Amino acid sequence: MRFHVWISVLLVVTLAGAAGCRKHAETAKGDPLLTAYDTEVDWTDAQHVIPLSYEQAQGKRIFYQQCVWCHADATPAGPSNRSNLTPVPPLLNDGATLNAESDEYMLNIVTLGGTAMGKSAMMPPYGRMLSTGEIRSVIAFARAIAQPSYQPPARAGSQYSAK
Ligand code: HEC
């Protein structure tokens, strides 16, 4: 009789424990912010926090070191230089402009600079300063924060453009 009571207690404790664990795992899985490496507050909506993958988080770090001065309106040091430039560079989250550009075009203009791609010479070449992986991570960050949001091309081949 006593033995049975103990078995029941043990069962209840084990089941409760298992249920607890499962519940915990579900919460972590359900909320991408809990598993993100970093986050970025949506530039167009302060209530919206965007979770960043490891690669996107690396891109964010590089963006705030190299690009923020011309591709954002506010910088860690105050207002940016952006509005003084002609043509005015697109904000990095400008999906209306950048969503239409392929990853390869973005990689090329950041690596080679504006002149090489028929754009303003005010866009510096970063090929000697940043690795291809680092440049790809900035592009990944741009895609993550894009408004309207970025949809990757449906076919792998369609990302290559002659632009
Ligand atoms: C000194 C200012 C400056 C800095 C710093 C700078 N850019 Fe630019 N960027 C520009 C200008 C100016 C353009 C060209 C706009 C045009 O010709 O329409 C441009 C263009 C671009 C474009 C192409 C946009 C398009 O519509 O074709 C991308 C992508 C870009 N920059 C990304 C970056 C990244 C990533 C960094 C940092 C690694 C960076 N830029 C740093 C000024 C800058």
Side-chain angles (χ1 to χ4, degrees), residues 66-67 70-71 87 89-90 97 105-106 119-120 122-124 126 138:
Q66 308 293 342
C67 327
C70 301
H71 286 282
T97 303
Y105 165 79
M106 302 262 276
K119 292 264 176 167
S120 162
M122 289 298 296
M123 170 61 201
Y126 285 91
V138 187

Side-chain angles (χ1 to χ4, degrees), residues 30-113:
D31 186 351
L33 289 176
L34 292 176
T35 49
Y37 280 87
D38 197 353
T39 55
E40 178 75 350
V41 174
D42 188 333
W43 296 3
T44 60
D45 175 5
Q47 303 300 311
H48 179 214
V49 178
I50 301 164
L52 301 178
S53 69
Y54 176 77
E55 187 189 26
Q56 293 159 353
Q58 296 302 307
K60 170 180 171 172
R61 183 175 54 78
I62 294 163
F63 172 77
Y64 279 102
Q65 285 166 356
Q66 308 293 342
C67 327
V68 68
W69 319 105
C70 301
H71 286 282
D73 281 329
T75 75
S80 86
N81 194 29
R82 181 170 170 261
S83 54
N84 296 325
L85 298 176
T86 322
V88 177
L91 293 171
L92 197 76
N93 76 332
D94 181 353
T97 303
L98 298 178
N99 287 353
E101 305 294 6
S102 67
D103 285 357
E104 295 312 304
Y105 165 79
M106 302 262 276
L107 179 69
N108 282 337
I109 191 163
V110 179
T111 306
L112 304 170

Side-chain angles (χ1 to χ4, degrees), residues 150-159:
Y150 173 73
Q151 303 296 329
R155 284 184 301 129
S158 58
Q159 71 176 297

